[in-house]
PDB file of all heavy atoms in Angstrom:
ATOM      1  N   LEU O  69      -0.336  19.487 -11.221  1.00 95.00           N
ATOM      2  CA  LEU O  69      -0.900  20.686 -11.830  1.00 95.00           C
ATOM      3  C   LEU O  69      -2.410  20.567 -11.993  1.00 95.00           C
ATOM      4  O   LEU O  69      -3.121  21.566 -11.998  1.00 95.00           O
ATOM      5  CB  LEU O  69      -0.232  20.935 -13.190  1.00 95.00           C
ATOM      6  CG  LEU O  69       1.285  21.165 -13.126  1.00 95.00           C
ATOM      7  CD1 LEU O  69       1.845  21.368 -14.514  1.00 95.00           C
ATOM      8  CD2 LEU O  69       1.614  22.352 -12.230  1.00 95.00           C
ATOM      9  N   LYS O  70      -2.891  19.328 -12.142  1.00 96.00           N
ATOM     10  CA  LYS O  70      -4.325  19.094 -12.229  1.00 96.00           C
ATOM     11  C   LYS O  70      -4.718  18.099 -11.149  1.00 96.00           C
ATOM     12  O   LYS O  70      -3.927  17.207 -10.809  1.00 96.00           O
ATOM     13  CB  LYS O  70      -4.702  18.531 -13.601  1.00 96.00           C
ATOM     14  CG  LYS O  70      -4.527  19.478 -14.758  1.00 96.00           C
ATOM     15  CD  LYS O  70      -4.990  18.829 -16.060  1.00 96.00           C
ATOM     16  CE  LYS O  70      -4.839  19.775 -17.226  1.00 96.00           C
ATOM     17  NZ  LYS O  70      -5.291  19.152 -18.497  1.00 96.00           N
ATOM     18  N   LYS O  71      -5.902  18.202 -10.637  1.00 96.00           N
ATOM     19  CA  LYS O  71      -6.353  17.342  -9.542  1.00 96.00           C
ATOM     20  C   LYS O  71      -6.261  15.865  -9.905  1.00 96.00           C
ATOM     21  O   LYS O  71      -5.929  15.031  -9.061  1.00 96.00           O
ATOM     22  CB  LYS O  71      -7.800  17.689  -9.184  1.00 96.00           C
ATOM     23  CG  LYS O  71      -8.340  16.935  -7.976  1.00 96.00           C
ATOM     24  CD  LYS O  71      -9.744  17.382  -7.650  1.00 96.00           C
ATOM     25  CE  LYS O  71     -10.260  16.672  -6.415  1.00 96.00           C
ATOM     26  NZ  LYS O  71     -11.635  17.130  -6.065  1.00 96.00           N
ATOM     27  N   GLN O  72      -6.532  15.533 -11.153  1.00 97.00           N
ATOM     28  CA  GLN O  72      -6.601  14.130 -11.526  1.00 97.00           C
ATOM     29  C   GLN O  72      -5.246  13.525 -11.894  1.00 97.00           C
ATOM     30  O   GLN O  72      -5.154  12.309 -12.063  1.00 97.00           O
ATOM     31  CB  GLN O  72      -7.578  13.933 -12.692  1.00 97.00           C
ATOM     32  CG  GLN O  72      -7.176  14.626 -13.989  1.00 97.00           C
ATOM     33  CD  GLN O  72      -7.761  16.018 -14.116  1.00 97.00           C
ATOM     34  OE1 GLN O  72      -7.922  16.727 -13.118  1.00 97.00           O
ATOM     35  NE2 GLN O  72      -8.082  16.409 -15.341  1.00 97.00           N
ATOM     36  N   ASN O  73      -4.195  14.349 -11.996  1.00 98.00           N
ATOM     37  CA  ASN O  73      -2.897  13.828 -12.441  1.00 98.00           C
ATOM     38  C   ASN O  73      -1.805  14.075 -11.408  1.00 98.00           C
ATOM     39  O   ASN O  73      -1.752  15.143 -10.779  1.00 98.00           O
ATOM     40  CB  ASN O  73      -2.469  14.497 -13.754  1.00 98.00           C
ATOM     41  CG  ASN O  73      -3.404  14.160 -14.896  1.00 98.00           C
ATOM     42  OD1 ASN O  73      -4.091  13.147 -14.862  1.00 98.00           O
ATOM     43  ND2 ASN O  73      -3.418  15.004 -15.911  1.00 98.00           N
ATOM     44  N   PHE O  74      -0.908  13.095 -11.301  1.00 98.00           N
ATOM     45  CA  PHE O  74       0.237  13.231 -10.388  1.00 98.00           C
ATOM     46  C   PHE O  74       1.440  12.638 -11.109  1.00 98.00           C
ATOM     47  O   PHE O  74       1.452  11.450 -11.439  1.00 98.00           O
ATOM     48  CB  PHE O  74      -0.049  12.473  -9.087  1.00 98.00           C
ATOM     49  CG  PHE O  74       0.855  12.816  -7.947  1.00 98.00           C
ATOM     50  CD1 PHE O  74       1.446  14.072  -7.828  1.00 98.00           C
ATOM     51  CD2 PHE O  74       1.089  11.888  -6.928  1.00 98.00           C
ATOM     52  CE1 PHE O  74       2.256  14.379  -6.746  1.00 98.00           C
ATOM     53  CE2 PHE O  74       1.900  12.199  -5.841  1.00 98.00           C
ATOM     54  CZ  PHE O  74       2.479  13.440  -5.759  1.00 98.00           C
ATOM     55  N   LEU O  75       2.437  13.477 -11.393  1.00 98.00           N
ATOM     56  CA  LEU O  75       3.588  13.058 -12.170  1.00 98.00           C
ATOM     57  C   LEU O  75       4.789  12.819 -11.271  1.00 98.00           C
ATOM     58  O   LEU O  75       5.056  13.613 -10.361  1.00 98.00           O
ATOM     59  CB  LEU O  75       3.951  14.122 -13.204  1.00 98.00           C
ATOM     60  CG  LEU O  75       3.151  14.127 -14.512  1.00 98.00           C
ATOM     61  CD1 LEU O  75       1.687  14.397 -14.279  1.00 98.00           C
ATOM     62  CD2 LEU O  75       3.731  15.136 -15.488  1.00 98.00           C
ATOM     63  N   LEU O  76       5.522  11.747 -11.547  1.00 98.00           N
ATOM     64  CA  LEU O  76       6.759  11.434 -10.831  1.00 98.00           C
ATOM     65  C   LEU O  76       7.912  11.507 -11.817  1.00 98.00           C
ATOM     66  O   LEU O  76       7.909  10.796 -12.826  1.00 98.00           O
ATOM     67  CB  LEU O  76       6.697  10.036 -10.216  1.00 98.00           C
ATOM     68  CG  LEU O  76       7.956   9.582  -9.482  1.00 98.00           C
ATOM     69  CD1 LEU O  76       8.120  10.354  -8.172  1.00 98.00           C
ATOM     70  CD2 LEU O  76       7.910   8.075  -9.196  1.00 98.00           C
ATOM     71  N   GLY O  77       8.899  12.359 -11.525  1.00 98.00           N
ATOM     72  CA  GLY O  77      10.032  12.520 -12.417  1.00 98.00           C
ATOM     73  C   GLY O  77      11.332  12.028 -11.811  1.00 98.00           C
ATOM     74  O   GLY O  77      11.555  12.155 -10.611  1.00 98.00           O
ATOM     75  N   LEU O  78      12.149  11.438 -12.676  1.00 96.00           N
ATOM     76  CA  LEU O  78      13.512  11.074 -12.313  1.00 96.00           C
ATOM     77  C   LEU O  78      14.421  11.910 -13.213  1.00 96.00           C
ATOM     78  O   LEU O  78      14.396  11.754 -14.434  1.00 96.00           O
ATOM     79  CB  LEU O  78      13.788   9.587 -12.558  1.00 96.00           C
ATOM     80  CG  LEU O  78      13.193   8.563 -11.600  1.00 96.00           C
ATOM     81  CD1 LEU O  78      11.698   8.427 -11.772  1.00 96.00           C
ATOM     82  CD2 LEU O  78      13.872   7.212 -11.788  1.00 96.00           C
ATOM     83  N   GLU O  79      15.174  12.813 -12.632  1.00 92.00           N
ATOM     84  CA  GLU O  79      15.999  13.718 -13.439  1.00 92.00           C
ATOM     85  C   GLU O  79      17.248  13.042 -13.971  1.00 92.00           C
ATOM     86  O   GLU O  79      17.672  13.284 -15.097  1.00 92.00           O
ATOM     87  CB  GLU O  79      16.376  14.942 -12.621  1.00 92.00           C
ATOM     88  CG  GLU O  79      15.181  15.858 -12.338  1.00 92.00           C
ATOM     89  CD  GLU O  79      15.605  17.129 -11.627  1.00 92.00           C
ATOM     90  OE1 GLU O  79      16.762  17.200 -11.152  1.00 92.00           O
ATOM     91  OE2 GLU O  79      14.773  18.049 -11.545  1.00 92.00           O
ATOM     92  N   SER O  80      17.869  12.197 -13.160  1.00 96.00           N
ATOM     93  CA  SER O  80      19.085  11.491 -13.542  1.00 96.00           C
ATOM     94  C   SER O  80      19.027  10.103 -12.914  1.00 96.00           C
ATOM     95  O   SER O  80      19.418   9.915 -11.764  1.00 96.00           O
ATOM     96  CB  SER O  80      20.313  12.257 -13.055  1.00 96.00           C
ATOM     97  OG  SER O  80      21.498  11.574 -13.414  1.00 96.00           O
ATOM     98  N   ALA O  81      18.510   9.151 -13.664  1.00 96.00           N
ATOM     99  CA  ALA O  81      18.225   7.831 -13.105  1.00 96.00           C
ATOM    100  C   ALA O  81      19.492   7.108 -12.646  1.00 96.00           C
ATOM    101  O   ALA O  81      20.558   7.213 -13.276  1.00 96.00           O
ATOM    102  CB  ALA O  81      17.489   6.988 -14.132  1.00 96.00           C
ATOM    103  N   ALA O  82      19.345   6.363 -11.541  1.00 97.00           N
ATOM    104  CA  ALA O  82      20.438   5.569 -10.982  1.00 97.00           C
ATOM    105  C   ALA O  82      19.967   4.123 -10.827  1.00 97.00           C
ATOM    106  O   ALA O  82      18.758   3.884 -10.660  1.00 97.00           O
ATOM    107  CB  ALA O  82      20.846   6.128  -9.622  1.00 97.00           C
ATOM    108  N   PRO O  83      20.880   3.152 -10.864  1.00 97.00           N
ATOM    109  CA  PRO O  83      20.480   1.753 -10.704  1.00 97.00           C
ATOM    110  C   PRO O  83      19.679   1.500  -9.428  1.00 97.00           C
ATOM    111  O   PRO O  83      18.822   0.607  -9.402  1.00 97.00           O
ATOM    112  CB  PRO O  83      21.821   1.014 -10.703  1.00 97.00           C
ATOM    113  CG  PRO O  83      22.706   1.860 -11.554  1.00 97.00           C
ATOM    114  CD  PRO O  83      22.305   3.283 -11.222  1.00 97.00           C
ATOM    115  N   SER O  84      19.930   2.290  -8.369  1.00 96.00           N
ATOM    116  CA  SER O  84      19.201   2.128  -7.107  1.00 96.00           C
ATOM    117  C   SER O  84      17.718   2.474  -7.246  1.00 96.00           C
ATOM    118  O   SER O  84      16.919   2.176  -6.345  1.00 96.00           O
ATOM    119  CB  SER O  84      19.825   2.992  -6.013  1.00 96.00           C
ATOM    120  OG  SER O  84      19.765   4.359  -6.388  1.00 96.00           O
ATOM    121  N   GLN O  85      17.358   3.108  -8.356  1.00 97.00           N
ATOM    122  CA  GLN O  85      15.961   3.460  -8.593  1.00 97.00           C
ATOM    123  C   GLN O  85      15.219   2.386  -9.391  1.00 97.00           C
ATOM    124  O   GLN O  85      14.035   2.554  -9.714  1.00 97.00           O
ATOM    125  CB  GLN O  85      15.861   4.813  -9.290  1.00 97.00           C
ATOM    126  CG  GLN O  85      16.356   5.948  -8.406  1.00 97.00           C
ATOM    127  CD  GLN O  85      16.319   7.292  -9.097  1.00 97.00           C
ATOM    128  OE1 GLN O  85      16.917   7.473 -10.164  1.00 97.00           O
ATOM    129  NE2 GLN O  85      15.635   8.250  -8.490  1.00 97.00           N
ATOM    130  N   THR O  86      15.893   1.290  -9.676  1.00 97.00           N
ATOM    131  CA  THR O  86      15.225   0.123 -10.258  1.00 97.00           C
ATOM    132  C   THR O  86      14.210  -0.392  -9.252  1.00 97.00           C
ATOM    133  O   THR O  86      14.573  -0.732  -8.114  1.00 97.00           O
ATOM    134  CB  THR O  86      16.246  -0.973 -10.594  1.00 97.00           C
ATOM    135  OG1 THR O  86      17.095  -0.511 -11.633  1.00 97.00           O
ATOM    136  CG2 THR O  86      15.540  -2.249 -11.026  1.00 97.00           C
ATOM    137  N   SER O  87      12.954  -0.428  -9.646  1.00 97.00           N
ATOM    138  CA  SER O  87      11.903  -0.765  -8.698  1.00 97.00           C
ATOM    139  C   SER O  87      10.569  -0.870  -9.440  1.00 97.00           C
ATOM    140  O   SER O  87      10.491  -0.601 -10.641  1.00 97.00           O
ATOM    141  CB  SER O  87      11.812   0.317  -7.605  1.00 97.00           C
ATOM    142  OG  SER O  87      10.901  -0.053  -6.588  1.00 97.00           O
ATOM    143  N   VAL O  88       9.535  -1.230  -8.696  1.00 97.00           N
ATOM    144  CA  VAL O  88       8.167  -1.126  -9.196  1.00 97.00           C
ATOM    145  C   VAL O  88       7.530   0.070  -8.498  1.00 97.00           C
ATOM    146  O   VAL O  88       7.540   0.147  -7.258  1.00 97.00           O
ATOM    147  CB  VAL O  88       7.350  -2.396  -8.929  1.00 97.00           C
ATOM    148  CG1 VAL O  88       5.942  -2.231  -9.495  1.00 97.00           C
ATOM    149  CG2 VAL O  88       8.027  -3.612  -9.560  1.00 97.00           C
ATOM    150  N   TYR O  89       6.987   0.981  -9.288  1.00 98.00           N
ATOM    151  CA  TYR O  89       6.411   2.207  -8.753  1.00 98.00           C
ATOM    152  C   TYR O  89       4.889   2.119  -8.802  1.00 98.00           C
ATOM    153  O   TYR O  89       4.302   1.757  -9.823  1.00 98.00           O
ATOM    154  CB  TYR O  89       6.902   3.407  -9.559  1.00 98.00           C
ATOM    155  CG  TYR O  89       8.366   3.664  -9.347  1.00 98.00           C
ATOM    156  CD1 TYR O  89       9.338   2.998 -10.094  1.00 98.00           C
ATOM    157  CD2 TYR O  89       8.802   4.549  -8.365  1.00 98.00           C
ATOM    158  CE1 TYR O  89      10.684   3.195  -9.882  1.00 98.00           C
ATOM    159  CE2 TYR O  89      10.157   4.766  -8.146  1.00 98.00           C
ATOM    160  CZ  TYR O  89      11.084   4.084  -8.906  1.00 98.00           C
ATOM    161  OH  TYR O  89      12.421   4.287  -8.677  1.00 98.00           O
ATOM    162  N   PHE O  90       4.275   2.448  -7.682  1.00 98.00           N
ATOM    163  CA  PHE O  90       2.818   2.439  -7.593  1.00 98.00           C
ATOM    164  C   PHE O  90       2.308   3.832  -7.256  1.00 98.00           C
ATOM    165  O   PHE O  90       2.805   4.489  -6.346  1.00 98.00           O
ATOM    166  CB  PHE O  90       2.332   1.463  -6.509  1.00 98.00           C
ATOM    167  CG  PHE O  90       2.460   0.024  -6.901  1.00 98.00           C
ATOM    168  CD1 PHE O  90       3.536  -0.733  -6.452  1.00 98.00           C
ATOM    169  CD2 PHE O  90       1.505  -0.570  -7.712  1.00 98.00           C
ATOM    170  CE1 PHE O  90       3.657  -2.060  -6.815  1.00 98.00           C
ATOM    171  CE2 PHE O  90       1.627  -1.899  -8.075  1.00 98.00           C
ATOM    172  CZ  PHE O  90       2.700  -2.638  -7.625  1.00 98.00           C
ATOM    173  N   CYS O  91       1.299   4.231  -7.995  1.00 98.00           N
ATOM    174  CA  CYS O  91       0.561   5.433  -7.677  1.00 98.00           C
ATOM    175  C   CYS O  91      -0.715   5.023  -6.950  1.00 98.00           C
ATOM    176  O   CYS O  91      -1.283   3.947  -7.211  1.00 98.00           O
ATOM    177  CB  CYS O  91       0.212   6.186  -8.960  1.00 98.00           C
ATOM    178  SG  CYS O  91      -0.780   7.663  -8.710  1.00 98.00           S
ATOM    179  N   ALA O  92      -1.157   5.848  -6.027  1.00 96.00           N
ATOM    180  CA  ALA O  92      -2.399   5.587  -5.306  1.00 96.00           C
ATOM    181  C   ALA O  92      -3.124   6.898  -5.071  1.00 96.00           C
ATOM    182  O   ALA O  92      -2.523   7.976  -5.088  1.00 96.00           O
ATOM    183  CB  ALA O  92      -2.120   4.890  -3.975  1.00 96.00           C
ATOM    184  N   SER O  93      -4.417   6.793  -4.855  1.00 94.00           N
ATOM    185  CA  SER O  93      -5.192   7.987  -4.509  1.00 94.00           C
ATOM    186  C   SER O  93      -6.174   7.640  -3.397  1.00 94.00           C
ATOM    187  O   SER O  93      -6.494   6.463  -3.174  1.00 94.00           O
ATOM    188  CB  SER O  93      -5.941   8.517  -5.737  1.00 94.00           C
ATOM    189  OG  SER O  93      -6.959   7.614  -6.144  1.00 94.00           O
ATOM    190  N   SER O  94      -6.628   8.664  -2.695  1.00 90.00           N
ATOM    191  CA  SER O  94      -7.617   8.453  -1.638  1.00 90.00           C
ATOM    192  C   SER O  94      -8.450   9.711  -1.479  1.00 90.00           C
ATOM    193  O   SER O  94      -8.054  10.803  -1.904  1.00 90.00           O
ATOM    194  CB  SER O  94      -6.955   8.068  -0.313  1.00 90.00           C
ATOM    195  OG  SER O  94      -6.201   9.137   0.205  1.00 90.00           O
ATOM    196  N   ASN O  95      -9.588   9.531  -0.810  1.00 83.00           N
ATOM    197  CA  ASN O  95     -10.513  10.642  -0.668  1.00 83.00           C
ATOM    198  C   ASN O  95     -10.347  11.310   0.678  1.00 83.00           C
ATOM    199  O   ASN O  95      -9.862  10.716   1.637  1.00 83.00           O
ATOM    200  CB  ASN O  95     -11.942  10.126  -0.815  1.00 83.00           C
ATOM    201  CG  ASN O  95     -12.836  11.136  -1.488  1.00 83.00           C
ATOM    202  OD1 ASN O  95     -12.448  12.287  -1.669  1.00 83.00           O
ATOM    203  ND2 ASN O  95     -14.025  10.733  -1.855  1.00 83.00           N
TER     204      ASN O  95
END
Side-chain angles (χ1 to χ4, degrees):
Chain O
L69 299 179
K70 292 182 179 180
K71 185 177 182 179
Q72 63 268 34
N73 295 337
F74 195 29
L75 278 62
L76 178 71
L78 286 72
E79 290 185 348
S80 180
S84 61
Q85 294 178 303
T86 294
S87 186
V88 181
Y89 291 85
F90 286 99
C91 177
S93 68
S94 67
N95 214 349

